[in-house]
Structures are given as C-alpha cells and as structure tokens.
Amino acid sequence: MSLQFPDTPEFTGLYQPSRVEASVVDLEIEGTIPDAIKGTFYQVAPDPHYPPMLGNDIFFNGDGIVSAFRFGAGKVSLKRRYVETERLKAQRREHRSLNGIYRNVYTNDPLAADNNTTANTTVIKHNGILLAMKEDALPWALNPDTLETLGEWNFHAQITSATFTAHPKVDPNNGALLCFAYEAKGEATPDIAYFEISDEGKLLREIWFQAPYAAMIHDFAITENYVIFPIIPLTADLDRMKNGGQHFQWQPDLPQLFGILPRSGTAEEMQWYYGPAGGFQGHTLNAYEEGNKIFVDMPVTNGNVFYFFPQEDGYVPPPETLKAALRRWTFDLDTNDATVVPKLLTSTPFPCEFPRCDERYSGKPYRYGFTLAYDPQLPFDTAALGAPPFQFFNQLARINVVTGDSEMWYPGDAQCFQEPIFIPRHPTAPEGDGWVISVMNDLRTRSSELVILDTAQWTSGPIAKVKIPFRLRMSLHGNWSGD
Ligand code: V55
Ligand code: FE
C-alpha cells in the first residue's frame, strides 16, 4: 500500500513533512559562535507522521516534533524527537492517520486515541522538565536531555482544566510560569482559568471566569499586576463540531475583545474592552503598566489570518488584502469608555509576526523587540518558487518601540524565517544586548540553517550559520534555556 502525502500547499514546499528524528553531534558551522552562548534552543513543529486521513489537513494539526539545539564551547548539537502522544502512538500502531479535522474529535476514526492533542505549538523548560504544549489539552512532559516523552502533565494533579495554553509567560521577578486555559471546562465552553505556577512547580494562583462566548485565545499578555486575554473573533461551537464542521468560525462582526484581570484579584474584578470588529489580534510582543494604564503590543491584522477557519458563508479574505502591522493597545483602567483602538508602534508600518522581546523585561517597560517581517517589495524568486507560502517572512527585524525605528536583515530572494529568539549576552547585559537565533529556510535549495545575529550589528547579518543536514518543516514556537 502506498504511503504518500498529498500534493497540496499544506504538504509541499515549506510545509512538506520532515518526519526526521535525529541526533547530530557537532553540526557544520559557518562563522564563529561565541563560547558565551551556552544552553539549549528548544522548538517544536507540527509535522504530520502520516498522510491526512481526509485527504488534506491544516498546518496546525500536525504531530508535534521537538528539536533541541545545544550550544556550548562554540559548537552546536541537535536532537530531534516526536512527542509520543497517545495520538501518535495510535497512528503508529495502525500505520496510518486516525484523525479527522483540527480539534474535532467527532471526525476521528473510531481507532483514534482518546487524547487528541498533538503537543505541537511550543516547548519550554520549567522546573526541570520540558513541556510540549498545544492549547487544546494539558501539556506533555519530556526529558529535557533525551527528549523522551514522559506523558501528559497535570502539574502533579494541581491543574484540573481540560486545556492549557501554548503561550505561557515566565515572570522575570520570580521565574513563575503564568498560564491560562480556554475552553477550560471542555470543548466550546466559555470558561477560562488563569494559573501561576512557581519555579518549583507549586500552583500559587488559580482564578476561574467566563468570557461572553467561547472563542480562541491563542496568546495573552502579562504585566506586574495584570494579565490580559485577547479574545480573537474566531468562535467555537459544539453543534457545528458534531456536524463535522470546523472547531472555529470567523465572526466578522465581533469586536477584538480583551479581558483584563488583576493577578491577585477575583473573577468579579475582570474588565472587558472592545476593539474594532474585523481585526485579528496576533502574538504578544510585550505588555506593561504605567499607573492606571496598560499597554499591550502585538501585530494586528485587518482580517481573518486563518484561511482554514472561514466565516459562516465560507468567505476568506484573499491573502494580498490582509495587512498586519505592529500596534499598541492602551487600556485605561479608570475610564468608563470600554472601546479601544490600537495605534501604530513603528514609524513605518510593515507586516510582521512571531514577535519576541528580551524576556528579562516581560511585563515591564521595555524598548526592544525582535520579529519576523515581510517586505513584498524586496526580490522574491517567483519564477522558480511561485507565490510566497503561508507565513512567509523574508526579513528579521529589530525594533525600538520607544523611537519607532526598525532595523532589518534581508537574506535574499528565496529565504524566509521561523520565530526569532533572544539570548542575553550575559545575565546582566543591557536590555536587548546579545544574540538572536532563528531557523532560516531556503525555499530554493529546500534546506534550513540556524542563523545567529549579534544585536549590536543587526543589519550586517549573521555572525554564524549552523547547517541542518536534513529538511525541516515550518515550525511554530520555542524557547531558550540557559541551563
Ligand atoms: C495557533 C496555532 C495552533 C493552534 C491554534 O498560531 C492557534 C496559532 C499550532 O496550533 O492549535
Ligand atoms: Fe502561537
């Protein structure tokens, strides 16, 4: 019997499955990696192990595969393993995919595992274990050295929600993991839970509340005293799922909703703010508070970014009509006016996504951001490569959010990037002083390199490139661990 992936945009080019589990000691390096870069860069990609049961599938539904790039003494080694979820194990047992459409268990094969999660969205080391996370279920724990899967992780039975975010934040003041769950009481429930888990794994805070409706809360934002939940106009509906429809549906008339909760408060103290309808809140760059004002910085797009979750009549905006730019939302906690309109944060707006900050400044007043950016005016080898794929970003940007200035590095007409991660030069280095690492894909040679940029000489490009000796698929998120 043949085993072949479909010839669709979701499974070809940047999105062709890699499926490679590997261990490579001392990767090839062009340039010099400073000895001071010592630690591990963990990242995860959705990488479907088997061809989709229904003929095609979306990027977000692939099985999670974790990569660990270990840096030390100027060398880099790579280890890469699938998260051995129940879902993956059932597939390997049957030698085929058993899963239907994204986050809809009603479309699965009867032989599919009960636990439907792919653990494919981020990985972070916390309290000695590596957590692979997907927002539809609890995290999965891995051994951070061997990447061996330990199992589903409920933090020693302290976490009772049905789901858990894939965008936890580390509180730089005490190392606590700040996290949340949406659809927290099961599929399409409007229940949300906020959790703080200490650096030693102890549940410190737990606050449950409800949103006005069940909808996607992909990322969130933290400040010293508040957490902010951006509720994207993509609603969930159980009946639609039972009828074989999508988990999420775009609602063009719903506002970009935000819930703001005092971290030491109660559900009753929740405040709701309403942004313009028709917009899409992207990933959080950072947020901070000043008096009774809260600032949240993120790319905002003027329409539905997720073409695979259409609105009710099936409409999805043509990609060229979508315009994203880095914007700042300002919430005045004292005002009676709960409407908010975001303002541009860069003097020249440009499409961007996957923003990250110097996380020693998470939730605090800050200056620097690092993000993927796209300039459609720059050369792209359309003749050889066709149209740019979904999530195509041809530049790495270093942004000063105080002045609005941006510096760019553009590598060429066939390259695009995966999420950039900042590493401080040393523990007490000034904000934003250090290195940024990012996987760079070459669409022409169909290969990838890990590039390392020095933040002090951004526009001159990488000080080192680490060659990856097999094909990677597009990934999502990751984190640096200094130990
Ligand atoms: C996102 C990604 C997901 C998901 C929901 O990037 C939202 C947003 C990789 O899976 O399940
Ligand atoms: Fe994300």
Side-chain angles (χ1 to χ4, degrees):
M1 203 172 80
S2 77
L3 193 161
Q4 274 186 297
F5 287 89
D7 187 18
T8 61
E10 288 77 15
F11 288 89
T12 51
L14 191 55
Y15 293 97
Q16 182 178 355
S18 164
R19 305 168 78 229
V20 176
E21 297 187 285
S23 173
V24 187
V25 176
D26 289 345
L27 294 162
E28 277 184 77
I29 300 168
E30 186 186 312
T32 303
I33 298 180
D35 288 356
I37 305 186
K38 194 174 172 338
T40 307
F41 168 44
Y42 293 103
Q43 57 107 285
V44 63
D47 203 330
H49 196 276
Y50 288 100
M53 186 175 82
L54 301 177
N56 198 15
D57 202 358
I58 72 171
F59 175 52
F60 293 171
N61 210 19
D63 302 294
I65 191 166
V66 174
S67 297
F69 294 90
R70 291 185 208 294
F71 288 68
K75 302 285 189 293
V76 187
S77 291
L78 170 60
K79 197 163 276 182
R80 197 166 136 89
R81 286 185 78 166
Y82 270 106
V83 186
E84 291 183 8
T85 57
E86 285 180 20
R87 169 171 167 149
L88 183 76
K89 286 207 262 198
Q91 292 179 77
R92 283 180 167 170
R93 189 184 63 230
E94 301 300 325
H95 304 284
R96 65 183 177 90
S97 169
L98 302 168
N99 303 91
I101 63 177
Y102 168 87
R103 275 185 85 167
N104 185 339
V105 295
Y106 305 102
T107 62
N108 284 353
D109 186 288
L111 293 175
D114 289 341
N115 188 317
N116 196 51
T117 200
T118 50
N120 71 5
T121 312
T122 199
V123 263
I124 187 166
K125 190 170 162 184
H126 177 252
N127 188 28
I129 53 167
L130 188 65
L131 298 171
M133 304 167 131
K134 168 84 168 181
E135 63 198 48
D136 64 356
L138 292 177
W140 277 63
L142 284 75
N143 177 313
D145 300 319
T146 63
L147 302 187
E148 179 195 355
T149 300
L150 306 172
E152 189 188 59
W153 195 253
N154 61 10
F155 298 86
H156 299 292
Q158 296 174 103
I159 300 296
T160 57
S161 54
T163 59
F164 203 80
T165 182
H167 279 284
K169 311 275 178 239
V170 177
D171 183 337
N173 295 335
N174 60 9
L177 204 62
L178 313 188
C179 17
F180 68 97
Y182 77 95
E183 299 188 39
K185 290 191 177 170
E187 306 279 26
T189 54
D191 300 271
I192 301 169
Y194 172 64
F195 306 111
E196 299 197 0
I197 302 168
S198 80
D199 57 345
E200 294 178 330
K202 186 172 179 296
L203 181 63
L204 303 173
R205 284 182 176 150
E206 172 171 1
I207 305 169
W208 285 77
F209 58 97
Q210 283 197 329
Y213 45 81
M216 182 187 281
I217 313 175
H218 179 61
D219 199 350
F220 81 137
I222 65 163
T223 70
E224 298 274 352
N225 296 294
Y226 295 89
V227 278
I228 303 96
F229 300 92
I231 302 188
I232 301 171
L234 279 164
T235 55
D237 182 80
L238 194 58
D239 287 335
R240 184 172 62 239
M241 290 163 63
K242 287 182 174 168
N243 287 324
Q246 291 296 340
H247 190 106
F248 291 111
Q249 186 176 78
W250 179 253
Q251 304 296 343
D253 301 324
L254 282 181
Q256 294 172 83
L257 183 62
F258 292 85
I260 301 190
L261 177 71
R263 285 168 56 180
S264 59
T266 62
E268 289 68 45
E269 294 169 76
M270 200 75 210
Q271 282 179 260
W272 296 96
Y273 294 82
Y274 304 84
F280 191 112
Q281 305 106 306
H283 287 109
T284 307
L285 166 56
N286 200 4
Y288 64 96
E289 60 190 68
E290 218 171 61
N292 289 321
K293 287 209 171 76
I294 290 180
F295 306 100
V296 178
D297 300 343
M298 62 170 61
V300 177
T301 306
N302 62 331
N304 181 11
V305 181
F306 292 166
Y307 67 90
F308 30 80
F309 302 139
Q311 62 190 51
E312 191 174 12
D313 63 9
Y315 176 79
V316 286
E320 64 278 8
T321 65
L322 289 176
K323 302 244 178 307
L326 190 63
R327 292 177 199 272
R328 169 165 292 180
W329 300 89
T330 300
F331 304 96
D332 182 343
L333 296 172
D334 292 335
T335 186
N336 293 320
D337 182 3
T339 62
V340 277
V341 177
K343 288 200 167 62
L344 280 173
L345 199 49
T346 49
S347 7
T348 313
F350 52 87
C352 57
E353 244 304 341
F354 296 101
R356 295 292 289 251
C357 65
D358 175 341
E359 281 157 19
R360 296 171 303 165
Y361 289 79
S362 282
K364 299 173 187 278
Y366 77 109
R367 181 178 289 264
Y368 295 108
F370 304 96
T371 186
L372 305 188
Y374 176 48
D375 185 344
Q377 303 301 322
L378 288 169
F380 180 70
D381 188 358
T382 315
L385 304 169
F390 178 58
Q391 292 183 314
F392 175 85
F393 296 96
N394 57 3
Q395 293 182 300
L396 277 179
R398 172 176 176 267
I399 299 169
N400 181 326
V401 300
V402 177
T403 63
D405 295 336
S406 315
E407 291 183 336
M408 302 287 182
W409 178 56
Y410 163 73
D413 68 352
Q415 280 76 23
C416 67
F417 296 99
Q418 307 191 10
E419 184 186 53
I421 305 288
F422 172 77
I423 305 165
R425 206 173 298 277
H426 55 86
T428 57
E431 188 201 341
D433 179 36
W435 302 277
V436 166
I437 57 179
S438 167
V439 172
M440 182 174 77
N441 312 292
D442 186 316
L443 300 178
R444 199 181 288 121
T445 60
R446 319 206 53 222
S447 63
S448 301
E449 295 171 319
L450 191 62
V451 294
I452 298 142
L453 277 77
D454 188 320
T455 60
Q457 35 174 300
W458 192 260
T459 53
S460 47
I463 57 166
K465 292 177 172 178
V466 181
K467 315 251 174 208
I468 296 157
F470 49 86
R471 199 169 34 70
L472 292 185
R473 197 183 195 225
M474 183 63 173
S475 77
L476 283 160
H477 302 291
N479 287 285
W480 177 254
S481 164
D483 52 46

